[in-house]
Amino acid sequence: MADFKSLDPRAPWVTSIHELARRPGEMKLFQRSIEAPVGLGSELIGVPEGSPVQVDLRLESVTEGVLVTGTVEAELSGECARCLGPVHEHRTFDLQDLYYYPGKDADDDALFVKDDLIDLEPPMRDAVVLELPFTPLCREDCRGLCPECGFPLNDDPEHTHGEAIDPRWEALRGLADEG
Ligand SMILES: [Zn+2]
Ligand SMILES: [Zn+2]
């Protein structure tokens, strides 16, 4: 369902397109640093709430509405899927979205201009969340944890137990010796 509730012009991700409306070819820039909203990420990795998101967008008046293109940049924080260590990564996300003028018969998830305002948060959220890594890694070649004792193998790639310490193996060995 298209959402027709009005936008708060003072909300950080809401901006006026008044001077662009119905003037194809006109454009303006929307460049600022905005605090990340809550829940910008997955369970494993995301942009911490309140941390800065660098927004660099171009708002362009086209026949059907306002075309938004550009990037948002943010610092991701999360947990490495292999070693559970911290992951910090600076990432740039691309945005390209068209906001239709009201009255356009468009998809349910289409974006609309409302009272000469547009809300940049939903497309920004999609751009970030859909691009997040499914398996965040602290580094490409993270060695993970020792399956036997949980030791972080990045700290010592030579880590080894020599002999298996699993008691089930000990038991088997005992049987073999008896045989
Ligand atoms: Zn790791
Ligand atoms: Zn170990």
Side-chain angles (χ1 to χ4, degrees):
M1 270 296 291
D3 168 15
F4 291 106
K5 73 176 189 292
S6 58
L7 297 172
D8 176 1
R10 287 156 305 175
W13 294 94
V14 172
T15 188
S16 168
I17 52 90
H18 183 72
E19 66 268 43
L20 303 178
R22 314 281 177 192
R23 293 194 191 112
E26 292 286 305
M27 65 93 115
K28 76 169 201 179
L29 298 177
F30 183 83
Q31 294 170 315
R32 61 193 67 180
S33 174
I34 302 178
E35 289 185 359
V38 65
L40 185 54
S42 67
E43 275 174 30
L44 290 174
I45 192 162
V47 185
E49 183 185 358
S51 70
V53 180
Q54 298 298 330
V55 184
D56 185 2
L57 299 174
R58 180 186 147 106
L59 281 42
E60 197 179 347
S61 185
V62 295
T63 313
E64 291 186 296
V66 174
L67 181 65
V68 173
T69 50
T71 58
V72 294
E73 275 179 64
E75 205 72 46
L76 301 179
S77 286
E79 193 175 77
C80 175
R82 283 188 203 151
C83 75
L84 311 181
V87 177
H88 296 288
E89 202 182 327
H90 188 88
R91 285 281 291 270
T92 302
F93 302 92
D94 293 319
L95 257 83
Q96 183 170 58
D97 290 283
L98 177 62
Y99 289 75
Y100 292 106
Y101 291 125
K104 163 83 184 177
D105 190 17
D107 291 351
D108 282 353
D109 54 357
L111 298 161
F112 283 93
V113 175
K114 294 171 195 170
D115 307 322
D116 283 357
L117 298 171
I118 60 174
D119 183 3
L120 296 164
E121 186 176 334
M124 175 283 294
R125 195 177 274 281
D126 285 351
V128 171
V129 173
L130 296 177
E131 282 295 310
L132 291 174
F134 285 117
T135 317
L137 295 178
C138 61
R139 59 187 220 205
E140 202 68 22
D141 63 345
C142 173
R143 294 166 185 272
L145 302 175
C146 169
E148 285 178 31
C149 72
F151 179 84
L153 298 175
N154 294 334
D155 291 354
D156 177 13
E158 307 296 309
H159 173 86
T160 169
H161 291 276
E163 299 287 320
I165 56 168
D166 188 319
R168 285 169 297 179
W169 288 108
E170 294 296 328
L172 284 175
R173 188 178 305 159
L175 288 175
D177 289 347
E178 280 168 28

